[in-house]
Amino acid sequence: MPASLLPDVHIPAVSVYESVFGGLSDEDLGSVAIIDGGSGAETTFGELRAHVDAIAGALAARGVVLGDVIGLLCPNIPAFASVFHGILRAGATVTTINSLYTAEEIGAQLKDSGAAWIFTVSPLLAGAAAAATAAGIPAERVVVLDGAEGHPSLRDLLTAGEPAPEISFDPATQIAVLPYSSGTTGRPKGVMLTHTNLVANVAQGIGAIGVEKGERVLAVLPFFHIYGLTVLLNYALTLRAVLVTMPRFDLVEFLRITSEHRCNWLFIAPPIAVALAKHPVVNAYDLSSVKVVFSGAAPLNGALAEAVATRLGCIVAQGYGMTEASPATHVIPLARPDIDRSSVGFALPNTESRVIDPETGLDVVVPDAGQSEPGELLVRGPQVMAGYLGRPDETAATIDADGWLHTGDLATLDAEGIYRIVDRLKELIKYKGYQVAPAVLEAILLQHSGIADAAVVGADDEDGQEIPKAFVVLQPGVELGADEVIAFVAGRVAPHEKVRVVEFIDVIPKSTAGKILRRELRGR
Ligand code: AYL
């Protein structure tokens, strides 16, 4: 059953700027687009668009041209929106960088993407500057939004007084963003998402769940990740909702901001659902404004979803997707409260979807009642990436000749057209909804002189959330504790990539071709 059951929507052939800001009415211009959750400072749509135009003008005047790549390393603050859209407006491509990354990780992304500039904030400048130096980016192209000696600031760009350039390009082929994802295997790769990919995913989302004009949307999920980027920065702003930004997750601050700013939509990842369902402090806040809690990025347990819905008296919905699909491909539509919350609902409008037997490549048989056998989920649609930057082989291994994106996730399908994600074929681990690439951690573990071999897989913590677990084979005669292994890795990676549990074993199970048998390790 490949075609979506939801009616197709029109996908405009326009740039992201045109799609988000093109149709602003006079009334929209004066209404609030973003509230800084910490300070309460407000930015109207008119101010936001003026900032976007000014940044585009300043960049063009400084030599930025169509197709240049610019790094953006910044937590969720209102200026992120101005900078992100300003760069796109100048015809350049944004490579969004995880703000928890180490200097080495930032440098690797800047180099791989060929970034010519980076935008950051002063608390992240040390890492950004080291990375920029490693990537050959001079200080005058390291913009520090809140200002720093020797660097341009946001104020400098906003007051440059240069008009936005007249840039024309084909939105179907022009790359808008280059987020990094490890996909089904290996290290993070640049995911080439075109303007049309992003515009399509917003239109498809509107065809399934509708945030209404003026509703308040809590923006705690990072804008640098494709979830925050598409659902918050593009989808919510296109619908003229109000983004309430939070630079980092802290439960009490999350509850305070939700309650004080009367937020209506909470877009979250499953670990926040655990806190909303279980933590006693939730009772101390008035969360009556919350209409929908929408979870994505990792599996949501059905009982957990029910517990959140009951405690908050709201709708809980779930979406599924991946960076390579801009990201959304499946969703539980708002109008279907009857659908099991542990499912990911239907394929989005304009999205074809299949479940195939990974051995035979044939579509699974969908029974009249109950679920099909699990198989690999394939999707095809206008939101699927153009490919991985500079990696034709990895692209071909992920998107087949007929345009189907092989997700590396195992799903079931029922006769009603509802999909359930039941497991993962690929090696990727999700920690709090963030990607953790086992290949990166395994390479670090092997740098330790006492470690002979290592494999990293996902394990469950006591709340049923996934955590990275390392299986380690020691060199003969070496004594090493789990804590030492954990500390060794922690000193070399971003906080979300830490190994959380270590098990020592005699040998890492491998196939005859030398591939780690991850399922076997996960099953232990
Ligand atoms: P990436 N259930 C189970 N696994 C999921 C789910 C889900 N609802 N969503 C994402 N994943 C896993 O690139 C799955 O393994 O994008 C998938 O291949 O960081 C991988 O995470 C992709 O991870 C939305 C809002 C999707 C958010 C998202 C999350 C995109 C995460 C649709 O509407």
Side-chain angles (χ1 to χ4, degrees):
M1 176 194 306
S4 173
L5 298 175
L6 301 175
D8 275 0
V9 293
H10 170 64
I11 294 169
V14 298
S15 68
V16 171
Y17 176 83
E18 190 57 35
S19 149
V20 178
F21 298 101
L24 285 173
S25 66
D26 287 346
E27 187 200 327
D28 291 338
L29 291 175
S31 57
V32 175
I34 310 182
I35 300 174
D36 182 324
S39 70
E42 298 182 346
T43 309
T44 64
F45 279 96
E47 288 163 339
L48 177 59
R49 192 177 68 181
H51 290 177
V52 168
D53 290 348
I55 291 167
L59 287 175
R62 284 164 167 78
V64 169
V65 295
L66 185 65
D68 278 355
V69 176
I70 299 187
L72 179 51
L73 175 78
C74 178
N76 283 16
I77 55 173
F80 191 115
S82 318
V83 172
F84 174 80
H85 286 293
I87 295 171
L88 293 191
R89 172 89 163 104
T93 298
V94 181
T95 189
T96 46
I97 307 171
N98 188 322
S99 51
L100 301 172
Y101 266 4
T102 63
E104 287 70 31
E105 290 172 315
I106 300 166
Q109 186 170 332
L110 291 176
K111 273 191 233 169
D112 188 75
S113 63
W117 290 68
I118 178 169
F119 280 67
T120 193
V121 289
S122 58
L124 302 179
L125 179 57
T133 304
I137 300 175
E140 65 268 22
R141 291 186 175 183
V142 178
V143 181
V144 182
L145 298 179
D146 50 337
E149 191 63 36
H151 297 281
S153 69
L154 181 60
R155 197 183 178 76
D156 295 336
L157 301 187
L158 290 179
T159 55
E162 307 283 350
E166 290 301 328
I167 303 264
S168 71
F169 53 77
D170 179 1
T173 54
Q174 191 63 33
I175 308 305
V177 293
L178 260 180
Y180 272 64
S181 164
S182 63
T184 53
T185 183
R187 294 180 168 271
K189 298 171 269 292
V191 176
M192 298 190 287
L193 298 177
T194 64
H195 282 260
T196 296
N197 286 154
L198 298 184
V199 170
N201 211 223
V202 167
Q204 293 171 304
I206 296 171
I209 54 161
V211 169
E212 282 166 40
K213 185 172 174 164
E215 284 189 322
R216 295 187 166 201
V217 175
L218 188 64
V220 65
L221 295 176
F223 294 145
F224 64 71
H225 183 255
I226 191 68
Y227 185 177
L229 193 147
T230 291
V231 177
L232 302 170
L233 276 183
N234 290 343
Y235 169 79
L237 289 179
T238 299
L239 290 170
R240 312 297 180 236
V242 183
L243 291 180
V244 181
T245 59
M246 270 188 78
R248 73 194 63 83
F249 179 74
D250 166 84
L251 182 60
V252 166
E253 187 66 355
F254 174 90
L255 297 168
R256 180 189 73 75
I257 290 178
T258 302
S259 142
E260 265 182 41
H261 291 286
R262 308 287 304 153
C263 292
N264 310 111
W265 290 74
L266 307 181
F267 287 97
I268 61 160
I272 302 182
V274 174
L276 287 176
K278 295 190 178 174
H279 204 291
V281 72
V282 173
N283 293 333
Y285 292 85
D286 172 9
L287 303 178
S288 58
S289 58
V290 177
K291 183 170 112 178
V292 182
V293 170
F294 185 97
S295 176
L300 181 68
N301 176 283
L304 181 63
E306 283 306 321
V308 172
T310 308
R311 194 172 192 193
L312 270 59
C314 68
I315 300 169
V316 174
Q318 183 172 197
Y320 159 86
M322 57 197 284
T323 307
E324 289 79 350
S326 303
T329 63
H330 292 73
V331 72
I332 303 179
L334 218 52
R336 291 294 303 271
D338 56 304
I339 293 178
D340 171 11
R341 305 286 106 174
S342 71
S343 81
V344 295
F346 302 111
L348 279 181
N350 311 59
T351 304
E352 297 171 276
S353 175
R354 299 159 60 195
V355 177
I356 62 161
D357 180 331
E359 304 291 318
T360 63
L362 299 175
D363 285 73
V364 296
V365 176
V366 180
D368 292 336
Q371 305 295 312
S372 73
E373 287 298 315
E376 185 175 15
L377 179 63
L378 271 49
V379 296
R380 186 162 70 175
Q383 73 273 52
V384 172
M385 66 169 177
Y388 293 117
L389 178 72
R391 290 182 170 84
D393 295 348
E394 273 105 327
T395 302
T398 304
I399 302 176
D400 68 25
D402 297 319
W404 290 98
L405 174 72
H406 291 239
T407 64
D409 290 307
L410 280 178
T412 65
L413 173 59
D414 71 16
E416 218 202 319
I418 295 173
Y419 292 79
R420 288 177 170 74
I421 308 297
V422 294
D423 202 351
R424 225 176 268 141
L425 276 172
K426 58 186 167 190
E427 57 191 45
L428 177 71
I429 299 169
K430 286 314 242 354
Y431 177 72
K432 299 202 167 162
Y434 289 109
Q435 288 199 4
V436 178
V440 170
L441 299 182
E442 287 157 5
I444 290 173
L445 287 164
L446 292 175
Q447 283 167 20
H448 192 293
S449 60
I451 295 178
D453 203 359
V456 180
V457 300
D460 283 347
D461 73 2
E462 65 274 14
D463 289 320
Q465 303 297 306
E466 196 174 15
I467 49 173
K469 171 174 179 178
F471 286 88
V472 170
V473 181
L474 293 177
Q475 298 283 14
V478 168
E479 284 194 26
L480 199 62
D483 289 354
E484 291 164 276
V485 174
I486 289 172
F488 180 78
V489 176
R492 290 162 174 80
V493 296
H496 64 282
E497 297 170 304
K498 287 181 194 169
V499 163
R500 309 261 157 191
V501 192
V502 174
E503 186 176 329
F504 295 99
I505 54 172
D506 294 335
V507 61
I508 302 289
K510 292 191 181 153
S511 71
T512 44
K515 267 189 82 151
I516 297 170
L517 295 174
R518 296 176 189 280
R519 281 176 162 269
E520 201 167 299
L521 286 172
R522 280 198 292 159
R524 274 170 71 103

